[in-house]
Amino acid sequence: MFTLASISLQSCAIPANLRHEQATGSSRDRALGHEQAQVLFAKVDQAESAYQQSQWQDAAALYQAVLKQLPDDPYLWFRLGNALTQQGQYDQAIEAFETSIRQDARQAKPWFNLSTAHLLGAQLASLKAWQAMDPGDPGRQAAQQRLDGVTRLLQ
């Protein structure tokens, strides 16, 4: 039986500029209103806490809630992508990483994790194809080879 490769997605702490904005008040803070900004920062802190504790569903839900008000934040899209990948939601993770990259294409980690999400999706599809084939099906060997190749790429 095959299992999906375990992955270690790149992560990072809340960027210094976000923490600085939280401490000093930013133009975003003024635009949102101070109270609303504080609620938003609290949600980001909750999302980060859930993320650090590998509570992927909670983290994803919290990042999604924050992104409704801050849709242009590449860091939040990146973290959402990681949380979705950890849940096996590869298509949604790919969308999140691509959105992060559209916001700031100079980031290396979202590019790398985007490739990982694509490979994990290919691995899952290959595994399902292999499992759906009868043991005597000549295509099963090709599915096995593809699955092995994708798994090697993920290692």
Side-chain angles (χ1 to χ4, degrees):
M1 181 65 134
F2 299 95
T3 60
L4 295 180
S6 62
I7 58 171
S8 173
L9 294 173
Q10 300 293 317
S11 64
C12 54
I14 294 178
N17 65 332
L18 188 58
R19 285 289 175 202
H20 175 73
E21 289 175 6
Q22 184 177 11
T24 62
S26 66
S27 59
R28 183 186 326 177
D29 186 51
R30 289 184 292 278
L32 289 172
H34 183 71
E35 258 183 60
Q36 189 177 9
Q38 292 306 313
V39 168
L40 217 46
F41 283 123
K43 277 190 183 174
V44 170
D45 285 341
Q46 290 173 332
E48 289 295 311
S49 178
Y51 186 97
Q52 294 300 327
Q53 295 171 35
S54 301
Q55 297 171 347
W56 306 119
Q57 273 188 311
D58 293 342
L62 288 161
Y63 287 127
Q64 288 167 333
V66 173
L67 282 163
K68 287 179 183 175
Q69 293 184 334
L70 299 174
D72 298 331
D73 191 312
Y75 174 79
L76 296 174
W77 283 108
F78 167 70
R79 294 294 258 198
L80 174 60
N82 288 345
L84 292 168
T85 300
Q86 292 293 344
Q87 295 177 74
Q89 298 179 23
Y90 306 125
D91 291 339
Q92 297 92 329
I94 288 166
E95 288 180 33
F97 291 133
E98 288 176 344
T99 302
S100 178
I101 291 164
R102 276 194 301 277
Q103 303 301 327
D104 181 2
R106 296 168 296 160
Q107 307 173 86
K109 290 177 182 181
W111 281 109
F112 181 82
N113 291 5
L114 173 62
S115 72
T116 301
H118 277 292
L119 287 170
L120 286 166
Q123 184 185 45
L124 179 61
S126 297
L127 175 61
K128 288 184 179 209
W130 182 87
Q131 289 173 333
M133 292 178 182
D134 291 327
D137 188 329
R140 198 165 199 226
Q141 184 177 2
Q144 175 72 55
Q145 289 172 342
R146 177 163 301 153
L147 179 59
D148 292 345
V150 173
T151 300
R152 277 193 301 279
L153 286 172
L154 284 163
Q155 295 171 343

